[in-house]
Amino acid sequence: MQDFFSWLGSFLGELIRFVVDLLSRLYHHVSDAARGFLDGLTESLGIAPSLISVAILAIGLWLLYLALRALLRRRLIATVVWGVLGVMVLSWLIT
């Protein structure tokens, strides 16, 4: 009976080890892919590869999206305001 429980404990330990190694490798590959994407994006735009730069980029793109939505709703003043703000944020970031 003791051999069965010894085998069962060993099997469960190896199974847990396999799952942990698999998840560790998956996380490593996902983080490498994300790092490569962000490095390529920031390098092509000429901005610093930091989280703050990417957040400011997202804010600038969001402002341009708001300008597009306002344009589709035929609100010209809002389109100009959101568009100018979006372009200002992105031009400040990229230069």
Side-chain angles (χ1 to χ4, degrees), residues 8-79:
L8 184 63
S10 175
F11 176 74
L12 285 177
E14 289 176 11
L15 182 66
I16 291 170
R17 177 68 176 208
F18 174 75
V19 169
V20 168
D21 285 344
L22 183 70
L23 290 175
S24 174
R25 289 180 184 162
L26 178 69
Y27 173 73
H28 178 71
H29 290 302
V30 168
S31 67
D32 282 347
R35 186 178 306 116
F37 172 76
L38 289 176
D39 286 343
L41 179 69
T42 56
E43 183 179 326
S44 68
L45 291 173
I47 60 178
S50 68
L51 187 59
I52 294 173
S53 296
V54 174
I56 293 172
L57 176 67
I59 290 170
L61 292 175
W62 178 66
L63 290 171
L64 290 179
Y65 169 73
L66 291 177
L68 180 64
R69 279 186 40 195
L71 180 65
L72 293 176
R73 292 181 179 175
R74 297 182 183 170
R75 298 188 173 162
L76 296 178
I77 295 174
T79 300

Side-chain angles (χ1 to χ4, degrees), residues 45-48 53 87-95:
L45 291 173
I47 60 178
S53 296
V87 169
M88 281 177 36
V89 168
L90 291 175
S91 67
W92 171 73
L93 178 67
I94 292 175
T95 57

